[in-house]
Amino acid sequence: MNVLKFGGTSVGSAKNINNVITILNDYAKKDKVICVVSAVGGITDKLLKAGELAQNKDKSYVLEFDQITEKHHSILETLIPSDNTEISNHLNAKLQELKSLLDGIFLINELSQKTSDKLLSFGELLSSFIIAETIKNRGLNCLRKNSQDLIITNSNFTKGEVLLELTNTNIKDYFSEAKERITILPGFISKSESGEQTTLGRGGSDFTAALVASALKVNRLEIWTDVSGMYTANPKLVQQAIPIKKLSYQEAMELSHFGAKVLYAPTVQPVLDAEIPILIKNTLKPNDEGTLISKLNEQNGLAVKGISHISNISLITLQGSGMVGIPGFSKRLFETLANEKINIILITQASSEHSICLGIDQSHVDIAKSAIDTTFEYEISLHKIDPILVENDLSIVALVGDNMKNHQGISGKMFRSLGKNNINIRAIAQGASERNISAVIANKDVKKALNTLHESFFEVKTKRLNVFITGVGNVGEKLIDQIQQQHAFLMKKLKIDVRIVGMANSRKMIFNENGIDLDNWTSQFHYAEKSSLGGFFDKVIALNLRNSIFVDITANEAVAKLYNDYLRQSIAVVACNKIACASSYDTYKELKGLSLKYNAPFLFETNVGAGLPIINTLNNLVASGDKVTSIEAVLSGSLNFVFNNFSDKNNFHDTVKRAQFEGYTEPDPRIDLSGIDVARKMLILARENGMKMEIEDIENESFLTKDSLESSSIDDFYETLKTNEDHFQKLYASAKNNNCQLKYVAEFKRGKAKVGLKEVPEGHPFYNLEGKDNIVMFHTERYPEQPLIVKGAGAGADVTASGLFADIIRIGNN
């Protein structure tokens, strides 16, 4: 004997019912089948709505009835398109009974619990009739048996308490005589001892199936739904969630309590008591393995089996010094809520006895607060207890697994993962069995929390990075190309999944929570929304994705001013924009402090040497205990390119133009040629070396003329380069006569820094520095004579993009 239960989605359309019939036919070839069915998907809600409208004298209840009628006739006509007159007439008769009941509710303006049970029973009675008649029409041996003849309850309408002895006898007696290969039973419905219609409450169809399976001592109960079992997390919120192959009864009950909708634990209690396994299967994908729930004890199984959640929770906190050492407070609190029929979902109490915190459904919070205020009115008036504290719009996330107690560090890993992603925990609960660790968080953080925990506990150490890029220009395009090119490599070798979720240029911005398609990202800007710095930030916050990284590829001061806002949201910042770190020392220290406080990396390697690991090298020296005594550097790839190509045969104006054309200078070349860019880079290195320094403290010996320095525009600046060509030729001639090369050098020594053009003699490490290369020499206590040298390309879109990419990967490796 097989007992199968099919839920509302499984019988929600003619197509799905055909799937059900195929499954039943396959089973009936081997053994008898008992099939418990729910109402057609959505019909129970429509019945409730129709009843409420009728009770409220709203004639639109007739529209709801018409939709119920149309839905059932549509299904019947699709399943049995011809020769269905008799069946259709019987269906109409049942629907007319429903209409008469609704008319009666409308007339007397009342919907009692007794009438509600009668009303809701129509859902299962109609669906089971259509399914049974369709099976018989196809020549299969089938009969529908009304569950109300078998399942007997007391007279507690809307949630009848089953009289087990009488019900079990009825089920055994009936099926010992039944000859049919397939028996269809409507779920959810029952009758009282006095013959009145009752229902079994939430999950009633599961309960019907469990009662039958338990009474007949079948080998297992199968519950067929629209998903392939119980998942490691809600697959609608966590794309990477996978079905769980095996669960213990206790694990399944924990997961179902915390929001796993596949199973409602109280209703399957009869099979749990009889230790009958439960198999969760997918009606739409019957060949999927599903989840087997049994008396399981896997000592070497996974520590965490699943992650679940309940949304729309309120926390109620009762606290006060007058509670300490006084017995009875908890009893009075729980009794108060019990009297109001309010279920407590989570409880946590401080060991100091100073407070008790309860989690309840948010829909009950006003009633709960009023009742508690009344119960403790006297103590509150004497200030022995504080006024009741209520927090709304919360959710509970829970890790579940029998073996968590055998693994150290599960809770630490859970809270660390949530904390890294700026998910604040309002309350924590963990039982002595260690089968469940629950945390209360804000509703808005649920999706991020579930994905964060799933990544930590179930995915093969693959870390997804959600990248938001502002400044999609030349460097930005190169970065996007590099991320696309290296995606497969990073997934395979480093287990890092880098996806670009948001992009913005000065005009438009685009977003895709699942990752922008990098094959045609440029075309997406044609239909994008208007760009704004505030709008971009708001969208990043609204998406609320784990492991988010904001990448600034601009030279915009307004963008730099937003870094602290991103860091406060635990969003990492990667920047090639030097303005933030080279502004006031207080701003620099604030950003570094926010990075530590909110555990959000702030990386800006490209501020100094594009793709060269200059800042990283300096940080490693300092962290290892070495002391940097001096720094000498050529830090401008732009200026190095200019002075390597300028000569008495190439005028200075054309050389600078070429450098700008090839992308080695800023859009405004005055930033490079004035020396301010090099001064900023040296300032950043000095600060990273522990110096409290401002930009004004750096001596800047400019090689430009007064006309060039005071130019009012870029075009005007280029004109001054032409008119002052003699000045630049004199600089070149002097260096050539002294057998030297012109290099723009930055120096830091004894707490002082300066930048300026120098004639570098032959034999010096800077002398042969070619093209756009940069070089930095660190003299330290460990490198007193032969300095530690970092050398390589210091300008260009490709190398700058690679430096940004390296910072992103560094975050992924943390």
Side-chain angles (χ1 to χ4, degrees), residues 464-530:
R464 172 168 286 172
L465 305 180
N466 295 296
V467 177
F468 298 85
I469 300 174
T470 186
V472 187
N474 194 18
V475 175
E477 290 182 8
K478 298 294 183 183
L479 175 60
I480 293 166
D481 288 344
Q482 290 174 15
I483 289 174
Q484 183 182 26
Q485 177 185 327
Q486 290 297 107
H487 185 267
F489 174 85
L490 293 175
M491 284 286 289
K492 182 177 180 181
K493 297 295 184 180
L494 299 181
K495 303 300 181 187
I496 297 174
D497 177 14
V498 181
R499 63 176 181 178
I500 301 175
V501 178
M503 300 181 189
N505 56 31
S506 58
R507 300 177 304 281
K508 299 285 187 69
M509 58 184 185
I510 58 175
F511 297 90
N512 187 325
E513 182 176 352
N514 297 316
I516 295 168
D517 181 2
L518 300 186
D519 287 329
N520 63 349
W521 64 270
T522 53
S523 64
Q524 296 177 51
F525 273 95
H526 295 305
Y527 312 101
E529 58 185 299
K530 186 177 179 181

Side-chain angles (χ1 to χ4, degrees), residues 521-561:
W521 64 270
T522 53
S523 64
Q524 296 177 51
F525 273 95
H526 295 305
Y527 312 101
E529 58 185 299
K530 186 177 179 181
S531 183
S532 72
L533 298 181
F536 193 86
F537 173 77
D538 291 342
K539 186 66 175 180
V540 175
I541 301 306
L543 286 172
N544 201 20
L545 300 175
R546 70 195 189 282
N547 306 324
S548 291
I549 303 172
F550 173 68
V551 182
D552 177 14
I553 318 178
T554 73
N556 190 322
E557 184 176 0
V559 177
K561 286 183 177 179

Side-chain angles (χ1 to χ4, degrees), residues 265-323:
T267 63
V268 293
Q269 194 64 46
V271 292
L272 301 188
D273 292 340
E275 296 186 357
I276 296 172
I278 304 168
L279 181 62
I280 311 293
K281 293 280 284 181
N282 189 344
T283 309
L284 309 180
K285 297 178 180 179
N287 293 325
D288 285 0
E289 186 175 354
T291 299
L292 181 65
I293 302 168
S294 62
K295 186 180 180 182
L296 181 69
N297 189 11
E298 291 183 300
Q299 293 298 326
N300 297 318
L302 289 172
V304 178
K305 285 292 188 68
I307 307 164
S308 199
H309 77 285
I310 310 175
S311 295
N312 300 318
I313 295 296
S314 291
L315 278 185
I316 295 178
T317 302
L318 181 71
Q319 63 182 10
S321 58
M323 293 171 57

Side-chain angles (χ1 to χ4, degrees), residues 315-579:
L315 278 185
I316 295 178
T317 302
L318 181 71
Q319 63 182 10
S321 58
M323 293 171 57
V324 179
I326 307 298
F329 274 98
S330 299
K331 176 178 178 293
R332 291 170 63 196
L333 176 61
F334 299 148
E335 280 184 347
T336 298
L337 295 177
N339 291 336
E340 298 295 335
K341 293 182 169 53
I342 294 173
N343 183 43
I344 299 172
I345 301 170
L346 176 142
I347 303 169
T348 181
Q349 180 173 12
S351 60
S352 64
E353 300 181 54
H354 181 264
S355 66
I356 303 173
C357 186
L358 304 174
I360 64 171
D361 190 291
Q362 189 165 316
S363 63
H364 300 146
V365 71
D366 291 337
I367 296 172
K369 184 179 186 307
S370 176
I372 296 170
D373 282 339
T374 300
T375 299
F376 294 98
E377 181 179 9
Y378 178 70
E379 288 86 352
I380 293 172
S381 69
L382 296 179
H383 303 291
K384 290 183 177 182
I385 295 178
D386 299 338
I388 305 304
L389 177 64
V390 175
E391 299 173 76
N392 293 321
D393 301 321
L394 302 173
S395 292
I396 300 172
V397 292
L399 295 184
V400 173
D402 283 340
N403 287 321
M404 292 199 306
K405 60 180 176 293
N406 298 322
H407 291 75
Q408 289 77 31
I410 297 292
S411 56
K413 186 177 180 180
M414 177 185 183
F415 301 139
R416 183 169 61 252
S417 299
L418 295 176
K420 277 186 176 181
N421 282 279
N422 196 35
I423 299 168
N424 187 38
I425 298 173
R426 296 296 306 120
I428 298 165
Q430 179 176 4
S433 68
E434 299 185 52
R435 185 177 289 118
N436 178 309
I437 305 173
S438 301
V440 181
I441 63 173
N443 278 338
K444 67 181 180 66
D445 288 329
V446 165
K447 185 173 182 179
K448 180 162 70 169
L450 292 175
N451 279 276
T452 296
L453 294 173
H454 198 274
E455 183 178 83
S456 297
F457 288 97
F458 291 103
E459 296 170 31
V460 190
K461 298 190 181 295
T462 298
K463 188 172 188 178
R464 172 168 286 172
L465 305 180
N466 295 296
V467 177
F468 298 85
I469 300 174
T470 186
V472 187
N474 194 18
V475 175
E477 290 182 8
K478 298 294 183 183
L479 175 60
I480 293 166
D481 288 344
Q482 290 174 15
I483 289 174
Q484 183 182 26
Q485 177 185 327
Q486 290 297 107
H487 185 267
F489 174 85
L490 293 175
M491 284 286 289
K492 182 177 180 181
K493 297 295 184 180
L494 299 181
K495 303 300 181 187
I496 297 174
D497 177 14
V498 181
R499 63 176 181 178
I500 301 175
V501 178
M503 300 181 189
N505 56 31
S506 58
R507 300 177 304 281
K508 299 285 187 69
M509 58 184 185
I510 58 175
F511 297 90
N512 187 325
E513 182 176 352
N514 297 316
I516 295 168
D517 181 2
L518 300 186
D519 287 329
N520 63 349
W521 64 270
T522 53
S523 64
Q524 296 177 51
F525 273 95
H526 295 305
Y527 312 101
E529 58 185 299
K530 186 177 179 181
S531 183
S532 72
L533 298 181
F536 193 86
F537 173 77
D538 291 342
K539 186 66 175 180
V540 175
I541 301 306
L543 286 172
N544 201 20
L545 300 175
R546 70 195 189 282
N547 306 324
S548 291
I549 303 172
F550 173 68
V551 182
D552 177 14
I553 318 178
T554 73
N556 190 322
E557 184 176 0
V559 177
K561 286 183 177 179
L562 288 173
Y563 291 176
N564 55 3
D565 293 331
Y566 281 101
L567 293 172
R568 284 191 177 97
Q569 297 295 326
S570 292
I571 296 170
V573 175
V574 171
C576 64
N577 185 345
K578 291 180 279 292
I579 292 175

Side-chain angles (χ1 to χ4, degrees), residues 27 193 227 239 265 301 555 587 613 645 695 717 725 736 781 814:
Y27 274 69
E193 284 186 285
V227 291
Q239 292 183 349
T587 297
N645 288 278
I695 191 70
F717 174 71
E725 179 65 21
K736 185 176 181 180
E781 290 181 348
N814 282 345

Side-chain angles (χ1 to χ4, degrees), residues 601-801:
F602 174 40
L603 301 180
F604 43 90
E605 183 66 76
T606 52
N607 276 198
V608 174
L612 295 177
I614 295 172
I615 293 176
N616 191 48
T617 300
L618 174 58
N619 288 336
N620 288 339
L621 289 170
V622 174
S624 68
D626 201 357
K627 183 176 181 181
V628 178
T629 55
S630 69
I631 302 172
E632 293 179 80
V634 174
L635 292 174
S636 174
S638 314
L639 287 172
N640 199 45
F641 177 88
V642 168
F643 286 111
N644 278 335
N645 288 278
F646 168 60
S647 69
D648 50 6
K649 299 180 178 59
N650 299 312
N651 68 55
F652 196 73
H653 168 275
D654 292 349
T655 305
V656 175
K657 272 285 187 184
R658 179 184 166 193
Q660 185 181 31
F661 177 77
E662 295 189 20
Y664 298 140
T665 73
E666 298 287 348
D668 184 348
R670 290 174 294 180
I671 297 173
D672 296 286
L673 271 68
S674 67
I676 186 62
D677 189 58
V678 176
R680 286 171 176 166
K681 292 178 178 180
M682 178 49 73
L683 176 65
I684 292 168
L685 287 180
R687 287 174 171 176
E688 290 293 289
N689 193 38
M691 294 298 300
K692 184 177 181 180
M693 186 176 284
E694 303 288 356
I695 191 70
E696 296 81 12
D697 299 327
I698 299 178
E699 183 182 348
N700 186 350
E701 300 172 352
S702 178
F703 65 87
L704 294 176
T705 64
K706 184 178 180 183
D707 290 343
S708 297
L709 290 171
E710 294 178 355
S711 57
S712 58
S713 67
I714 296 174
D715 290 340
D716 184 32
F717 174 71
Y718 273 116
E719 283 300 316
T720 67
L721 298 187
K722 290 180 181 178
T723 58
N724 293 309
E725 179 65 21
D726 287 347
H727 167 73
F728 301 114
Q729 287 295 337
K730 288 178 182 178
L731 294 175
Y732 174 78
S734 174
K736 185 176 181 180
N737 292 335
N738 293 325
N739 196 27
C740 292
Q741 293 280 356
L742 288 172
K743 303 292 176 186
Y744 200 86
V745 178
E747 297 174 280
F748 172 81
K749 193 171 185 178
R750 299 188 186 92
K752 296 185 179 298
K754 65 178 181 177
V755 297
L757 192 65
K758 295 185 69 173
E759 295 182 2
V760 175
E762 190 173 5
H764 192 281
F766 295 176
Y767 183 84
N768 291 316
L769 193 65
E770 298 178 349
K772 59 184 182 299
D773 285 0
N774 281 4
I775 186 171
V776 179
M777 298 193 304
F778 293 106
H779 290 268
T780 75
E781 290 181 348
R782 295 176 188 161
Y783 297 90
E785 297 177 4
Q786 294 295 326
L788 174 60
I789 296 176
V790 180
K791 178 182 176 182
D798 277 323
V799 293
T800 303

